[in-house]
Amino acid sequence: MEHKEPPIYVTKPHLPDLEKVYPYIQRIWENGVLTNSGPFHQELESKLESTLDISHLRLCNNGTSAIMAALFTANLSGEVITTPYTFAATTHSIKLCGLTPVFADVEGDSFGLCPMAVERAITQQTSAILAVHVYGRPCNVEALKDIAEKYNLKLIYDASHAFGCEYQGRSLLSYGDYSTLSFHATKVFNTFEGGAVVSSNKECADRINLIKNFGISGEDMIPYLGFNGKMNEFSAAIGMLQLDEISLILSKRKQVAEWYDEELIGLEVVSVPKPIDGHVSNYSYYPIIMCGEAEGVRDRVVSFMCDKGVHPRKYFYPLMSNICQYKDLDSALKDRLPVANKLSNNVLCLPIYPSLTRPEVKRVCEALKGALNQK
Ligand SMILES: *Cc1c(COP(=O)(O)O)cnc(C)c1O
């Protein structure tokens, strides 16, 4: 009889020891401050700034409201050029802010927006670029900055995957006018739900604070259109505890990625994205791309693996330009997104999280290889 092993899911949220949580909860009860920039909130903001070596970080209640707060604060109109190769939150935020997303294709190596495609998509109505550091890999930040300056556009990065990543000797979050983070349960650093906006200057960060608090600036003044994007004290407390363990979290993820590298070496029908020069990764995801003879078999690979109790994720699929919300918008531009379409149809993210063991990695790879040998 084959022994049925427990399922391996694509991720498993990291949690601090429960005993460590109690004293933090106790402090919240003693303070009686539950939200609106309480003590843990303030402590977490400044600790994140020092840990990540950045300035002007403002906490939010999730990554989506962080994106929306950045879009509102940037005071945009008309069109925002963005990537279709992302999570729904990126594109939906643009639309929810009353702006029109315009898709441009991505690059095959970084998975980020292709600067040439961005430049081609610019019109009189364009007011910003919203790019995504996919899997924490840096976009072509220099070229995007040049384009943003040349056409006087705001440059915003959805850096939901990029917690702790560096590029060219500094935090990846320090590029662009704004970078947004998600601290959702599934991300590298989690506060159950949470997020943040990193602004390039203090004036913008001050405005983020107003926007995420209904646009209220003082007791009798509401000068901006805003919403409730505030992080609560419980999430901020959890964030403090998670931050204590972040180097361990990152080093365990790195170890898992190295095990995969070893297991997958020489597997010709699967391409593992190459490291980018000057990039310090957080190993937030382990994407592989089906190529050669395996091109187009991704969905069959997934169902085979799931039968073996291994649950990888098609991330990002479907492409935002192919879902009903945005399909029509993009019908004329279909031909401009060949790279994104091909990636989306062939990508698979393998399970990666700090507590994943060597034997489990082996099991994932055996399921993958078994799937690929299935003709
Ligand atoms: C997770 C994620 C978001 C949304 O973050 P939430 O905290 O879940 O709102 C946005 N963009 C990308 C690329 C993400 O992966």
Side-chain angles (χ1 to χ4, degrees):
M1 260 309 270
E2 201 189 339
H3 166 67
K4 195 121 174 76
E5 289 161 304
I8 301 174
Y9 294 105
V10 71
T11 192
K12 190 171 179 177
H14 181 80
L15 284 168
D17 286 340
L18 193 53
E19 294 78 67
K20 291 187 183 164
V21 181
Y22 293 133
Y24 280 67
I25 296 182
Q26 202 165 8
R27 267 173 63 189
I28 297 174
W29 257 248
E30 283 161 12
N31 291 330
V33 180
L34 312 187
T35 185
N36 288 54
S37 197
F40 280 125
H41 185 285
Q42 292 175 29
E43 213 177 329
L44 183 61
E45 273 189 351
S46 58
K47 198 161 179 205
L48 280 169
E49 286 178 348
S50 57
T51 306
L52 299 170
D53 197 18
I54 44 164
S55 312
H56 315 305
L57 177 143
R58 297 297 178 265
L59 294 170
C60 292
N61 52 359
N62 58 60
T64 309
S65 66
I67 300 171
M68 288 179 45
L71 291 170
F72 270 120
T73 300
N75 211 359
L76 307 175
S77 62
E79 299 173 353
V80 175
I81 297 172
T82 193
T83 171
Y85 193 72
T86 187
F87 182 60
T90 319
T91 326
H92 286 351
S93 295
I94 297 173
K95 194 163 179 184
L96 288 168
C97 286
L99 303 159
T100 306
V102 172
F103 296 115
D105 208 359
V106 298
E107 301 175 310
D109 46 359
S110 74
F111 303 100
L113 270 176
C114 167
M116 278 189 322
V118 168
E119 195 159 15
R120 277 198 298 273
I122 293 173
T123 71
Q124 287 297 320
Q125 279 72 52
T126 310
S127 61
I129 301 165
L130 176 53
V132 180
H133 296 305
V134 177
Y135 315 131
R137 293 165 73 82
C139 292
N140 192 337
V141 289
E142 288 91 3
L144 290 175
K145 179 172 189 259
D146 289 345
I147 291 171
E149 279 171 3
K150 182 172 166 193
Y151 295 92
N152 194 23
L153 307 173
K154 288 285 190 300
L155 179 55
I156 302 168
Y157 288 109
D158 176 346
S160 295
H161 296 180
F163 188 94
C165 291
E166 289 172 29
Y167 185 54
Q168 308 290 14
R170 53 187 250 228
S171 169
L172 187 52
L173 306 170
S174 65
Y175 294 86
D177 295 302
Y178 303 90
S179 294
T180 68
L181 288 163
S182 164
F183 306 150
H184 182 255
T186 55
K187 304 298 204 270
V188 165
F189 169 83
N190 88 74
T191 60
F192 287 27
E193 293 270 6
V197 183
V198 178
S199 305
S200 53
N201 62 64
K202 187 175 179 301
E203 292 68 49
C204 293
D206 288 346
R207 183 102 72 95
I208 295 283
N209 270 347
L210 305 185
I211 300 288
K212 69 165 181 170
N213 188 29
F214 310 101
I216 298 171
S217 71
E219 212 152 279
D220 304 323
M221 283 198 298
I222 311 173
Y224 298 109
L225 181 62
F227 57 95
N228 184 356
K230 304 186 303 289
M231 178 179 279
N232 69 69
E233 281 293 280
F234 180 76
S235 285
I238 294 292
M240 292 297 294
L241 290 163
Q242 301 278 32
L243 208 47
D244 287 342
E245 294 169 18
I246 192 68
S247 5
L248 186 68
I249 292 172
L250 293 174
S251 67
K252 284 189 166 180
R253 284 182 166 276
K254 182 173 190 211
Q255 174 68 83
V256 173
E258 285 167 359
W259 289 333
Y260 276 125
D261 289 345
E262 277 171 38
E263 291 285 336
L264 299 180
I265 220 159
L267 193 62
E268 272 163 24
V269 291
V270 155
S271 108
V272 176
K274 289 189 188 56
I276 294 172
D277 268 354
H279 175 219
V280 177
S281 176
N282 59 4
Y283 306 93
S284 47
Y285 299 86
Y286 196 93
I288 57 172
I289 315 290
M290 307 288 133
C291 60
E293 275 187 14
E295 205 180 308
V297 306
R298 193 267 317 272
D299 289 2
R300 269 196 285 147
V301 168
V302 173
S303 44
F304 183 96
M305 291 177 78
C306 289
D307 285 346
K308 302 274 172 213
V310 175
H311 300 268
R313 191 168 164 207
K314 299 187 256 180
Y315 196 58
F316 295 111
Y317 178 88
L319 215 54
M320 283 305 117
S321 47
N322 293 339
I323 67 166
C324 60
Q325 284 286 315
Y326 306 108
K327 225 179 156 98
D328 294 340
L329 187 79
D330 199 55
S331 57
L333 310 174
K334 259 275 142 36
D335 301 342
R336 290 199 342 212
L337 307 169
V339 182
N341 272 285
K342 189 168 168 178
L343 280 175
S344 179
N345 288 329
N346 287 286
V347 72
L348 200 54
C349 285
L350 300 182
I352 186 167
Y353 48 88
S355 60
L356 197 68
T357 64
R358 186 78 176 88
E360 284 170 328
V361 166
K362 210 169 174 77
R363 219 184 108 201
V364 172
C365 293
E366 270 159 16
L368 172 67
K369 287 172 189 171
L372 290 165
N373 286 332
Q374 199 82 344
K375 281 280 147 67

